[in-house]
Amino acid sequence: MLNAAFKDYSLHPATAAFLARAHGLMIDGRSVAALAGRRRDVFDPASEEAFTTVAEASPEDVDLAVAAARRAFEGDWARVTPSQRGRMLNRMAELIETNGDELAELECLNSGKPLQFCRNVDIFGVADMFRYMAGWATKITGDTHNPSMPGEWHAYTLRQPVGVVGQILPWNFPMNMAAWKIAPALAAGCTIVLKPAEATPLTALRLAELALEAGIPAGVINVVTGKGSVIGDAITNHPGIDKVAFTGSTEVGQHIARNCVSSNLKKVSLELGGKSPVIVFPDADLDAAVAGIAGSIFFHAGQVCAAGSRLYVHEKIYDRVVEAVAAKAAGLKVGPGMLPDHDLGPVISRAQRESVMAYIEKGRAEGAEVLTGGRALGAKGHFVEPTVLAGTGPGMAVHDEEIFGPVLCAMRFGDEDLDAIAARANASPYGLSSSIWTRDLSVAHRLAKRIQSGIVNVNTHTSPDASLPYGGYKQSGWGRERGAEVLDLYTQIKAVAVKLA
């Protein structure tokens, strides 16, 4: 069965109880109604049915959230020691695991991602991010320095929290991206005004409730739900916010950067789009490569900024690899993520499905060959067949632009040198992720140095570990999330120089 009504799903009791509530904004530790009293529906992209509602904030609600975050930053939260912050973050990780079934179902219902992945991968990754950052809470330090100025000096640096941070989440990985932003901000000692994507607000609200249960003081995490163009602008233009972190499209990221500069010159980090190359050499483990290629582009219906959407295969193995990827795509089961044994769920909305289909049709018009897929599925739900296109190249929209759907562009290369291969991989305004498939580690390391992307994976396309920095070159963004490097986004350096004599 491709489609199912929301009422056909069997929900965990905790999930059903959460959905039955009237969800408000989370401001100063309380769920409150929006000042204007407005609410908005939340939809299941697999059935197109509204299954709960949330409050729709206004800029005035953002003012209240910022004020609460400022009070907490200068009050209760400032008195929490680093080791206490670490224990709270560890407690968050425990609560995420304890409530994992509920969180996984909320994420699946709201984003369309298959439930098996939400349960088996997302919950672990979200908990692991909180645990990893808990360890950093006590290790954020400055340095001592030895100045060359005349006289005797005691000089050192302090690394201090940047202040109140605005965090704006995407709809493709709402729970993961919340963890990537909340955990390091708390480890550093910041307070938060969080705006989930308007389509996927539920897990952010639930995480904010769990934070209170973990002992994190009221006002440290505030969540404002509502329309992106309204609430996003209110956050990025707000003079009471010291830093903004955004994950989403490059176009919106550019708009946010302009707001941050023109308001109070607040700090900004951006994790944006991608058009990631996948390069397969003849000596690769081809079974592993085919599985990795398919997983990198078809997982979550291709709605992944790091998706391996440009495939370059050596001509000696091109037919074998591309035929195998197309066969794997044709065998994937498409359907509601809440129902068992589905490999692909829907894309997030009707508009997104129409956008993906428009790219496929444009590809056909520009001469691409559809090896498999290429159709929208079902009378209800936003489903798109996993699609493999051949005969693509630079200048075609499907090759050059981020589609954000389950669409792979396959191309061949010959016995080119590594500089030429890298030039093809780098011929994009994006530079987020990439992968190299080869048994020759000399080739892998040499090519990795030449590829312009923030992440280069070898014999895999994903490396979702909390310790590894994540971010992009070029129009894929500014700054790095995850790893020790993320703390640079939420701290600032102060130099202290004391003249002793």
Side-chain angles (χ1 to χ4, degrees), residues 204-224:
L205 289 168
R206 188 69 182 108
L207 287 174
E209 294 176 351
L210 294 178
L212 294 171
E213 191 175 338
I216 294 169
V220 173
I221 301 175
N222 305 276
V223 181
V224 284

Side-chain angles (χ1 to χ4, degrees), residues 273 429-432 451-455 471-477 480:
Y430 301 108
L432 182 56
I451 292 179
Q452 298 168 356
S453 70
I455 309 103
Y473 284 34
K474 299 184 283 188
Q475 292 185 35
S476 287
R480 294 294 181 268

Side-chain angles (χ1 to χ4, degrees), residues 433-451:
S433 184
S434 58
S435 61
I436 303 165
W437 297 81
T438 179
R439 289 187 172 96
D440 188 333
L441 291 183
S442 175
V443 167
H445 287 301
R446 290 164 60 211
L447 187 54
K449 292 176 70 173
R450 289 163 167 78
I451 292 179

Side-chain angles (χ1 to χ4, degrees), residues 128-130 132-137 140 159 179-181 183-185 187-188 463-471 479-491:
D128 192 53
M129 188 65 187
F130 278 95
Y132 176 78
M133 295 314 306
W136 274 109
I140 300 172
R159 185 178 287 270
W180 284 21
K181 289 177 169 56
S463 48
D465 192 90
S467 70
L468 293 174
Y470 188 95
R480 294 294 181 268
E481 297 192 309
R482 300 189 323 200
E485 290 78 3
V486 70
L487 295 169
D488 294 337
L489 305 183
Y490 295 102
T491 57

Side-chain angles (χ1 to χ4, degrees), residues 129-408:
M129 188 65 187
F130 278 95
R131 283 203 178 92
Y132 176 78
M133 295 314 306
W136 274 109
T138 55
K139 300 171 185 66
I140 300 172
T141 62
D143 298 302
T144 57
H145 293 258
N146 188 20
S148 297
M149 297 178 290
E152 294 186 42
W153 296 81
H154 175 50
Y156 59 95
T157 58
L158 296 172
R159 185 178 287 270
Q160 298 179 311
V162 74
V164 175
V165 299
Q167 299 179 328
I168 302 174
L169 305 181
W171 46 257
N172 58 337
F173 289 91
M175 185 164 51
N176 269 285
M177 295 300 100
W180 284 21
K181 289 177 169 56
I182 292 171
L186 297 185
C190 297
T191 57
I192 297 165
V193 177
L194 182 75
K195 187 218 165 293
E198 57 194 81
T200 55
L202 299 181
T203 45
L205 289 168
R206 188 69 182 108
L207 287 174
E209 294 176 351
L210 294 178
L212 294 171
E213 191 175 338
I216 294 169
V220 173
I221 301 175
N222 305 276
V223 181
V224 284
T225 53
K227 190 171 178 60
S229 59
V230 175
I231 306 308
D233 278 356
I235 288 172
T236 55
N237 284 314
H238 203 292
I241 287 179
D242 304 301
K243 182 260 185 311
V244 166
F246 169 75
T247 296
S249 72
T250 296
E251 180 183 10
V252 176
Q254 291 169 333
H255 173 75
I256 284 172
R258 288 191 289 268
N259 283 356
C260 290
V261 169
S262 63
S263 55
N264 58 338
L265 205 64
K266 58 175 64 69
K267 300 177 187 297
V268 60
S269 57
L270 305 168
E271 197 268 280
L272 306 176
K275 192 71 178 178
S276 300
V278 178
I279 305 166
V280 186
F281 289 91
D283 66 332
D285 179 337
L286 298 188
D287 289 339
V290 167
I293 293 161
S296 73
I297 185 60
F298 300 132
F299 166 65
H300 197 12
Q303 299 170 118
V304 183
C305 52
S309 53
R310 288 186 293 143
L311 174 62
Y312 300 94
V313 186
H314 193 279
E315 60 189 9
K316 291 180 180 177
I317 55 169
Y318 175 86
D319 290 339
R320 177 180 169 186
V321 169
V322 173
E323 287 171 8
V325 173
K328 187 170 282 290
L332 295 173
K333 297 179 180 178
V334 181
M338 283 295 295
L339 299 182
D341 302 324
H342 287 148
D343 303 300
L344 266 74
V347 297
I348 191 65
S349 66
R350 182 173 296 276
Q352 185 63 19
R353 185 180 70 177
E354 290 174 353
S355 174
V356 173
M357 294 308 302
Y359 271 110
I360 293 171
E361 293 310 311
K362 189 179 293 186
R364 282 192 175 105
E366 291 177 339
E369 178 187 1
V370 179
L371 299 183
T372 189
R375 298 180 302 166
L377 297 174
K380 280 199 313 179
H382 311 307
F383 298 97
V384 178
E385 282 184 317
T387 301
V388 177
L389 303 179
T392 60
M396 299 172 68
V398 290
H399 173 278
D400 296 347
E401 300 173 18
E402 185 177 38
I403 299 173
F404 227 60
V407 181
L408 176 66

Side-chain angles (χ1 to χ4, degrees), residues 50-115:
F51 60 91
T52 191
T53 65
V54 295
E56 183 166 1
S58 65
E60 291 73 25
D61 295 299
V62 173
D63 290 339
L64 295 178
V66 173
R70 181 63 61 185
R71 287 194 300 272
F73 181 71
E74 296 175 354
D76 290 347
W77 192 233
R79 291 186 286 272
V80 174
T81 67
S83 63
Q84 289 172 326
R85 292 202 302 269
R87 287 196 292 273
M88 291 173 184
L89 289 171
N90 274 319
R91 178 62 177 148
M92 271 291 290
E94 294 169 2
L95 289 169
I96 287 162
E97 290 172 337
T98 300
N99 295 274
D101 287 342
E102 175 193 358
L103 288 167
E105 288 187 350
L106 291 174
E107 189 81 341
C108 172
L109 280 169
N110 206 181
S111 72
K113 192 189 312 176
L115 181 59

